[in-house]
Amino acid sequence: MEKNLEILRHSASHIMASAVKELYPDAKLGIGPAIEDGFYYDFDVEKPFTPEDLKRIEDKMKEFIEKDYPFEKIMMKREEAKKFFSEKNEIYKVEILNEIEDEEVSIYKHNGFYDLCRGPHVSSTGEVKFFKLLDVAGAYWRGDEKNKMLQRIYGTAFFTKEELEEFLKKREEAKKRDHRKLGRELEFFSIHPEEAGPGLIYWHPKGSIVRSIIEDLWKKAHLENGYQLIYTPHIAQEKLYEISGHLKNYSEFMYSRMLIDDVPYRIRPMNCPGHILIYKTKIHSYRELPLRYAELGTVYRYEKSGVLHGLLRVRGFTIDDAHIFVQKENVSEEVIRVLDFSISILKAFGFEDFKLYLATRPEEKFIGEIEDWEKAENALKEAIERAGLDYEIDEGGGAFYGPKIDVKVKDALGRLWQCSTIQFDFNLPERFDVFFINKEGKEERPYLIHRAIFGSIERFFGVLIEHYKGAFPFWLAPVQVRVLNITDDVLDYAKNVYERIKKSGIRVELDSRNITLNKKIRESEMEKIPYTVICGKKEKEKGNVSIREYGRGDRGSISFDEFLKRILQENKNPTLTV
RNA sequence: GCCGGCGUAGCUCAAUGGCAGAGCAACGGAUUUGUAAUCCGUAGGUUGGAGGUUCGAGUCCUCUCGCCGGCUCCA
């Protein structure tokens, strides 16, 4: 974010806090920073704020802005500041002060409102002209669920009215793209929380056809890139997860045991142990490495009810998984290869921008030696750097068995979505005693790379829906062409056109209902079908079809053969760069 | 899981504590139409679920399930 905008928003958060203190004097202050889309301030209040309160606070803010109070910076000795905020009963400010090491701290003041703050601020409240309070939400003090929950008010501020309006418009736009709404309207999928359980996806025919196109492309790309496809079962005896360490380190996400012939089984939360079992069925030579097993593996994980979200966060999902057994000295090279492969596939689906994150060892809940972790983290880092990609460090964000690289894609609205993940693992090979025979004829331990490109098919589909607003490119669209007849007189011709398109392998539908042309067009357009083909008397006479392209309206009349040639050309899958 | 908001027909939404309604969709009929909604009719509901208050509950209270916005977490 631009520095000045950050200052403006931070100032807005102070004005909001002062308004809250005026209206609710007992509210204790938490923190109130500027964030990417605006700002927030946390308050400890007896009663949570209501939307009506928000309006009152906003009005009070406007009043303060009108009065144009100057912001003043006051320097205070830390101990003095502690005393100052203790007397005001601002316990959270005191807590922050206890952790500040500087001898002197700055405090910003306007209209009798004092806040511990590094600053800087705009010179007076009157500079914050275009703002809006957006939402109230609970938020744990310091983001820790063990702490008290405070009430957070979100808002945003801009320098101009136009920018504010554009921001609000973009929010509306995002709502229209919501994959949950589009998923229902376009009959892609449904969720049946009451009857079947929350977080479980039912793929309807329209969604399923898109999924199968995605999966077909994925399979073909993997076979061409040195992977072997496998299938493994969805349940396994508990002892498999004892060996893998999931039971110890991942049980909070695993569903409870079921007994089969008195033997405890679990439904799988990950696919890795199964892949390792296949690897271990024979002795492998270093010549076979890197050995790459890929599976569209469906897993089930317990996710807390409050985090479930459409297709993006679910309880049962299919990972486009692969496990690569690789010699230590080839790890970096293999990671680069995987990164290139991932990005090439994501690009095929129309994503251009990516952001990489290197996630390091978690504070608690990790297995293996710290030294190995550091080595692995360096190997991943080297791979990213050698591939020439920008990245950020996600401190403590690794899986329990190793560090990872996450790839997020940027969608049409500039939002980031987590897709690919490349995870480094030196623990499972140890636990399962995985080895290969090296050049010297000795047993050697390989490293294991877990990786997914889409992440989960469900999530990726959700991201695709939002990216394309449900209007998929021709090759991905569930229905690619809809043929409309204008009257029953030309139904035979329309049927003929439909049959010939269908025979060529294009996904086509015929709308022969006896309703107005306008109505048929409207429906075809609302279903976001790429081509609507209209057959009337004029077309029949010439062997033509009239074409409507989704979102572009009437594109005129061309011969059927020409149209067929065109859509067959357009139907080819995008080519991969790897 | 936590905080707040919300659950009425397939969808979008009405209904002061007093007869559960509309539009779209569905179904039936008329209409044979040239680039985004033809007209008429029919049917559709234990108001998420269970208790309670009341002469009377969609509306008020309690519990519960679920959804939405956040927090925490995450493929």
Side-chain angles (χ1 to χ4, degrees):
Chain A
M1 201 197 325
E2 193 202 335
K3 191 75 198 154
N4 289 334
L5 190 58
E6 200 175 322
I7 293 169
L8 181 81
R9 288 170 172 179
H10 191 182
S11 302
S13 94
H14 274 230
I15 298 169
M16 178 169 80
S18 68
V20 168
K21 285 296 269 188
E22 171 120 348
L23 293 166
Y24 313 89
D26 292 337
K28 293 193 189 70
L29 300 171
I31 55 166
I35 52 172
E36 189 164 351
D37 285 334
F39 60 87
Y40 69 79
Y41 213 112
D42 288 343
F43 304 94
D44 186 356
V45 280
E46 284 290 311
K47 261 199 286 180
F49 300 111
T50 63
E52 293 77 61
D53 293 334
L54 232 58
K55 185 83 187 86
R56 284 182 69 200
I57 295 164
E58 208 173 85
D59 289 342
K60 186 56 83 178
M61 287 173 72
K62 279 178 188 153
E63 192 184 314
F64 289 169
I65 288 165
E66 188 98 346
K67 297 240 173 82
D68 200 17
Y69 299 115
F71 277 101
E72 292 169 51
K73 182 180 185 180
I74 302 165
M75 293 307 289
M76 248 187 224
K77 290 268 182 276
R78 190 183 59 214
E79 289 309 315
E80 195 189 335
K82 252 198 249 182
K83 195 167 155 246
F84 179 76
F85 283 109
S86 304
E87 278 165 10
K88 285 178 166 295
N89 205 18
E90 294 292 0
I91 52 173
Y92 300 99
K93 295 295 174 193
V94 175
E95 191 178 322
I96 295 169
L97 277 166
N98 281 333
E99 282 161 36
I100 291 180
E101 293 185 357
D102 306 343
E103 274 310 304
E104 221 180 8
V105 296
S106 60
I107 284 168
Y108 277 80
K109 179 201 161 196
H110 73 275
N111 185 30
F113 170 84
Y114 294 82
D115 196 358
L116 174 67
C117 177
R118 212 174 270 122
H121 280 283
V122 294
S123 60
S124 67
T125 59
E127 288 189 37
V128 181
K129 286 194 177 70
F130 308 103
F131 77 99
K132 188 168 170 56
L133 301 189
L134 301 168
D135 284 303
V136 220
Y140 301 107
W141 168 238
R142 305 208 138 176
D144 188 334
E145 60 183 329
K146 290 183 200 83
N147 289 340
K148 180 160 186 187
M149 184 162 269
L150 310 181
Q151 293 302 314
R152 175 171 297 177
I153 302 179
Y154 284 95
T156 194
F158 288 91
F159 287 112
T160 65
K161 194 172 170 214
E162 290 71 32
E163 284 170 310
L164 176 62
E165 276 168 3
E166 197 191 331
F167 170 82
L168 295 172
K169 219 171 104 190
K170 194 171 154 186
R171 275 184 122 216
E172 289 302 312
E173 172 69 7
K175 246 187 234 165
K176 280 189 210 140
R177 281 173 188 258
D178 192 317
H179 72 281
R180 294 166 297 186
K181 180 175 176 285
L182 291 171
R184 185 186 58 238
E185 289 172 358
L186 300 174
E187 298 177 14
F188 289 148
F189 68 92
S190 60
I191 306 175
H192 305 265
E194 306 270 359
E195 309 93 309
L200 302 169
I201 307 302
Y202 290 78
W203 292 72
H204 295 209
K206 296 259 169 66
S208 299
I209 187 74
V210 178
R211 175 171 177 163
S212 78
I213 295 161
I214 296 170
E215 291 185 353
D216 288 349
L217 181 143
W218 183 91
K219 283 182 191 166
K220 188 162 168 278
H222 279 70
L223 291 171
E224 285 167 2
N225 276 273
Y227 289 81
Q228 294 171 281
L229 300 183
I230 58 173
Y231 294 93
T232 61
H234 292 203
I235 61 168
Q237 288 190 44
E238 210 166 85
K239 68 177 138 176
L240 185 68
Y241 301 111
E242 256 161 43
I243 298 171
S244 69
H246 283 94
L247 231 39
K248 196 162 195 168
N249 296 286
Y250 208 71
S251 60
E252 56 177 315
F253 296 107
M254 292 173 72
Y255 289 103
S256 43
R257 74 165 45 154
M258 52 191 140
L259 292 177
I260 299 175
D261 291 340
D262 293 325
V263 179
Y265 280 73
R266 294 289 188 128
I267 191 153
R268 70 180 175 192
M270 289 190 195
N271 303 308
C272 22
H275 290 202
I276 291 170
L277 290 181
I278 293 181
Y279 179 93
K280 276 176 61 94
T281 54
K282 64 176 205 174
I283 306 277
H284 294 276
S285 152
Y286 72 93
R287 296 174 197 276
E288 294 173 60
L289 269 42
L291 185 67
R292 309 180 185 94
Y293 289 147
E295 176 183 13
L296 292 163
T298 303
V299 299
Y300 293 86
R301 299 181 185 171
Y302 172 74
E303 298 284 353
K304 290 175 179 176
S305 61
V307 308
L308 300 175
H309 184 94
L311 293 174
L312 301 179
R313 192 78 181 274
V314 294
R315 284 182 173 161
F317 58 99
T318 300
I319 302 175
D320 64 314
D321 217 348
H323 292 90
I324 304 170
F325 299 86
V326 57
Q327 296 187 65
K328 286 177 193 171
E329 57 266 40
N330 296 335
V331 156
S332 191
E333 190 187 332
E334 186 63 21
V335 171
I336 290 171
R337 191 188 156 106
V338 170
L339 261 179
D340 286 348
F341 186 45
S342 299
I343 285 175
S344 127
I345 288 187
L346 293 173
K347 278 186 174 165
F349 285 89
F351 297 105
E352 298 289 337
D353 281 337
F354 309 94
K355 200 161 179 188
L356 271 62
Y357 296 82
L358 173 61
T360 59
R361 181 173 53 80
E363 288 278 323
E364 304 157 18
K365 288 234 172 175
F366 66 92
I367 50 185
E369 300 305 317
I370 289 184
E371 198 180 309
D372 288 334
W373 276 86
E374 280 168 1
K375 270 189 212 158
E377 285 166 10
N378 285 332
L380 288 178
K381 200 188 230 170
E382 194 195 323
I384 301 177
E385 281 165 3
R386 268 174 57 189
L389 295 161
D390 282 335
Y391 67 100
E392 269 178 35
I393 306 275
D394 174 12
E395 208 68 58
F400 71 84
Y401 45 73
K404 61 177 181 176
I405 297 171
D406 282 335
V407 179
K408 295 191 183 184
V409 305
K410 205 179 249 186
D411 77 3
L413 290 186
R415 300 169 299 179
L416 288 170
W417 305 93
Q418 156 91 57
C419 288
S420 309
T421 181
I422 302 166
Q423 312 190 342
F424 198 93
D425 185 350
F426 34 81
N427 286 297
L428 284 182
E430 194 74 36
R431 285 171 162 266
F432 279 93
D433 189 26
V434 173
F435 63 86
F436 64 94
I437 304 299
N438 67 16
K439 256 182 198 160
E440 283 75 42
K442 299 223 170 70
E443 288 183 6
E444 190 178 321
R445 188 94 54 227
Y447 277 166
L448 180 60
I449 297 168
H450 309 239
R451 50 106 282 192
I453 294 170
F454 303 135
S456 98
I457 305 283
E458 284 75 5
R459 174 177 292 178
F460 189 68
F461 186 42
V463 173
L464 274 181
I465 294 170
E466 303 223 356
H467 181 61
Y468 286 114
K469 212 173 169 179
F472 290 122
F474 189 78
W475 67 280
L476 260 181
V479 179
Q480 299 173 291
V481 177
R482 177 169 289 164
V483 178
L484 313 182
N485 64 318
I486 298 179
T487 65
D488 289 346
D489 294 345
V490 290
L491 182 56
D492 56 339
Y493 180 63
K495 258 188 186 153
N496 184 268
V497 165
Y498 160 79
E499 292 294 346
R500 281 194 283 167
I501 295 173
K502 190 165 180 70
K503 214 168 267 174
S504 73
I506 298 289
R507 297 180 292 279
V508 59
E509 287 180 354
L510 173 66
D511 184 351
S512 61
R513 292 173 301 168
N514 175 20
I515 55 174
T516 59
L517 178 65
N518 277 350
K519 179 81 169 189
K520 290 188 190 186
I521 287 171
R522 177 178 159 82
E523 285 188 14
S524 186
E525 202 71 37
M526 291 207 304
E527 288 173 49
K528 301 175 194 273
I529 296 169
Y531 288 111
T532 304
V533 166
I534 293 151
C535 299
K537 219 180 277 173
K538 287 183 235 163
E539 288 76 12
K540 184 177 173 177
E541 275 164 18
K542 291 194 196 148
N544 273 6
V545 285
S546 284
I547 315 229
R548 241 189 109 95
E549 223 174 306
Y550 172 75
R552 298 180 68 184
D554 191 353
R555 307 293 289 160
S557 190
I558 56 170
S559 79
F560 174 80
D561 293 335
E562 203 180 318
F563 174 65
L564 188 65
K565 208 173 117 191
R566 178 165 151 194
I567 56 177
L568 285 175
Q569 179 61 32
E570 213 177 320
N571 194 37
K572 286 186 185 138
N573 283 3
T575 41
L576 299 182
T577 52
V578 174

